[in-house]
Amino acid sequence: MALSTTPDVSHPEPQADLLFLGLGWYYVTDTRAGVHRWLVVPALRWWYRDAEEAHEAGTKALRALWELGLHPREREDVDGGVLEVEVFGQMLSNPIATSAGIDKHAQVPTALLALGPAIVEVGGTTPLPQDGNPKPRVFRLPSQNAIINRYGFNSEGADVVARRLRHRVRKFAYAMGFGTDDEAEKRILDGEAGVPPGSLVPGRLMAIQITKNKQTPEKDVEAVVQDYVYCMQQLGKYADIIVVNVSSPNTPGLRTLQRVEPLTKILKGVVDAAAEVPRRVKPRIMVKVSPDEDGEDQVRGICEALVLSGVDGVIVGNTTKQRPDPLPKGPALPPEESALISEQGGYSGPQMFERTLVLVKRYRKRLDEDLHRNPDKPPKSLEISASIAPMGGLTLSGDPETSVSLRPASKECPESEHLSVTNENGEQGPAIQPPTEPLRDSKESTPELVSDAVPKSLPSVRRDTSSRKPKVIFATGGITNGKQALEMLEAGADIAMIYTTIVFGGAGTVTRIKKEMRDEMSRKAGK
């Protein structure tokens, strides 16, 4: 009997299967893949008619993909070095950030960072858990690429979010070989791994947005302050930036806290609490303000509160109670969207861009005027906390970037070295002109200063350097492409934040915007 020698081709070789799967994985997990914008987003919108359910499904999917190593990510250095910016002393690879609301409960900050932004903001987080407003509370306007939401700060509470972030830090510590105990966590938070303590990623930062509980009456400013301080105490050590939100339109009375007196009191409370965070480098403090508080007196008052409180910057923009005209101008909204436009809540979308741009220019002008009005004005106060230094004497720490070391006078220690400043890089220099008389030479470890430059009682008050440092501005509202992001930066913003455009553009949005920025920069350079 003759045997057939024809090869069996009914089953492809295993290598071909693996190659096909590998190429598919490589494509789908690249943020440049069109599938994220043109397939995933429409599929979520079709499958989940409710916008909030679609958002939650997307978050769960991203978390699961991250755990499996199948998450979308930037595969190349698409920033190319040309988009680098310096913010809060950190060199960031690009000036793009994602706004709070994308990751309300800090479930996927690392996965979001993998999509390409230099800063990810999570939250907002309240001191106690709260459900937010009744559902449905999120509405899509697809023809406008816009959203109306009235979430009302649905939050798991600061304690739950803090536990989640602590687990994240300890998991990172274990991967780095530090262990998983308290000491391992402290070493990571103190920077021994060489990464920012919030983001845990080089050249990136993580912000945590905090706010008050709905049940806390806005008229009881002391209680409001305690809400924000509690959030800082629980979450501060896990954040590179803490964002104080006093501008959501969905919490009754919240925006009244943007008046000078209550806002200054709230921000001072948060600033003081930040100084007590048990970490070598303290978190920076920003405040998020409303686009609807755009009167001249309102802007001036908010800027005054920023200066008086000593916060580090402001996020200009939030959702608006107003309903802008449709884009493009002329055609009416589809019937189903016309019915939704009157829903109560904050509106976000491309129509906000021009308003945000104008407001950024005004804030930059006002804050710079405050800076240059008294450029040589000394700090209003000096925060000094004392601890025993290794060589005897005291280490006095104030600003997160600076510590002041005092040592008892001795023959081996010249007078000019009694008081010195050490920055975070370990560089030393004189803090003040040495006193005309030597410090008291004794065997006691506590020195006595014969000078009025530093009070003998060593008070514990915040050192306000706001008159010397420009305030950082993040801009959020209506940014949908690279050209608009560049316009925001040219208007005076340090960072351009995006939110709604990711909802409609998918996981590749940040990569697309950065490419458009580079293309626009090349176009201008070629003129």
Side-chain angles (χ1 to χ4, degrees), residues 214-517:
K214 183 178 181 178
Q215 67 191 35
T216 305
E218 67 277 2
K219 293 182 179 179
D220 188 349
V221 178
E222 291 294 339
V224 172
V225 171
Q226 287 307 308
D227 270 15
Y228 286 100
V229 167
Y230 183 81
C231 287
M232 168 61 77
Q233 291 170 340
Q234 299 303 110
L235 300 167
K237 64 180 178 179
Y238 301 115
D240 300 307
I241 304 166
I242 288 289
V243 177
V244 178
N245 190 337
V246 290
S247 59
S248 170
N250 300 314
T251 298
L254 185 66
R255 289 188 170 186
T256 64
L257 299 174
Q258 293 177 101
R259 295 195 299 267
V260 179
E261 294 81 5
L263 182 58
T264 302
K265 196 165 188 176
I266 291 168
L267 295 180
K268 280 186 174 180
V270 175
V271 166
D272 289 342
E276 301 299 323
V277 169
R279 203 178 71 188
R280 186 179 65 84
V281 178
K282 312 303 182 185
R284 299 291 187 158
I285 311 300
M286 303 187 75
V287 59
K288 187 168 187 175
V289 299
S290 165
D292 296 334
E293 311 297 318
D294 57 356
E296 189 58 36
D297 289 343
Q298 292 169 316
V299 172
R300 182 170 58 248
I302 290 172
C303 290
E304 180 181 342
L306 296 178
V307 173
L308 290 174
S309 62
V311 299
D312 301 290
V314 57
I315 297 181
V316 176
N318 204 329
T319 57
T320 178
K321 288 185 175 181
Q322 299 180 20
R323 295 296 181 263
D325 294 332
L327 287 177
K329 295 181 179 180
L333 290 174
E336 62 273 17
E337 294 183 21
S338 296
L340 294 176
I341 198 69
S342 60
E343 288 283 353
Q344 184 180 353
Y347 184 102
S348 62
Q351 299 87 344
M352 295 293 296
F353 175 73
E354 293 297 334
R355 287 186 64 192
T356 306
L357 187 68
V358 170
L359 205 52
V360 165
K361 291 178 180 178
R362 292 175 61 193
Y363 270 95
R364 175 51 70 201
K365 183 175 184 292
R366 170 65 62 177
L367 291 170
D368 286 353
E369 285 175 352
D370 290 341
L371 174 70
H372 296 130
R373 188 174 292 118
N374 298 295
D376 299 322
K377 182 180 178 181
K380 295 178 182 178
S381 56
L382 182 66
E383 177 190 43
I384 303 178
S385 59
S387 61
I388 302 299
M391 296 178 63
L394 296 175
T395 295
L396 308 181
S397 61
D399 185 80
E401 297 177 349
T402 309
S403 64
V404 183
S405 299
L406 288 85
R407 296 188 294 275
S410 66
K411 295 180 181 178
E412 294 78 21
C413 184
E415 292 176 15
S416 61
E417 294 180 2
H418 291 167
L419 185 58
S420 65
V421 172
T422 304
N423 64 23
E424 61 182 352
N425 297 320
E427 301 166 340
Q428 289 192 344
I432 59 174
Q433 186 68 25
T436 55
E437 299 181 18
L439 301 180
R440 178 168 53 89
D441 189 0
S442 72
K443 295 181 180 180
E444 298 177 12
S445 61
T446 304
E448 180 179 344
L449 291 176
V450 188
S451 172
D452 293 331
V454 182
K456 295 179 182 180
S457 59
L458 303 180
S460 178
V461 289
R462 177 79 178 177
R463 183 164 73 89
D464 183 3
T465 59
S466 56
S467 62
R468 296 180 179 179
K469 295 180 180 179
K471 300 296 184 186
V472 170
I473 294 179
F474 290 6
T476 181
I479 300 170
T480 61
N481 57 56
K483 184 175 182 295
Q484 290 178 333
L486 287 173
E487 287 186 59
M488 284 295 180
L489 301 181
E490 292 167 358
D494 299 278
I495 293 292
M497 305 187 80
I498 58 176
Y499 171 63
T500 307
T501 189
I502 290 183
V503 173
F504 288 94
T509 302
V510 176
T511 301
R512 172 181 60 81
I513 287 177
K514 292 191 296 184
K515 181 181 183 303
E516 292 168 350
M517 291 177 71

Side-chain angles (χ1 to χ4, degrees), residues 138-154:
V138 186
F139 310 94
R140 306 186 195 99
L141 303 174
S143 74
Q144 302 298 299
N145 286 335
I147 293 174
I148 296 172
N149 92 79
R150 53 170 181 261
Y151 276 113
F153 288 124
N154 54 308

Side-chain angles (χ1 to χ4, degrees), residues 41-89:
V41 171
L44 281 172
R45 192 184 308 168
W46 176 81
W47 189 263
Y48 297 96
R49 308 305 295 177
D50 181 81
E52 183 174 359
E53 290 181 1
H55 187 103
E56 291 175 351
T59 301
K60 290 178 181 178
L62 183 59
R63 186 176 186 180
L65 291 172
W66 169 261
E67 294 293 340
L68 296 171
L70 301 175
H71 60 286
R73 71 206 71 183
E74 286 190 337
R75 293 199 172 279
E76 298 179 0
D77 181 15
V78 297
D79 301 338
V82 299
L83 299 180
E84 281 188 342
V85 293
E86 184 175 350
V87 175
F88 298 138

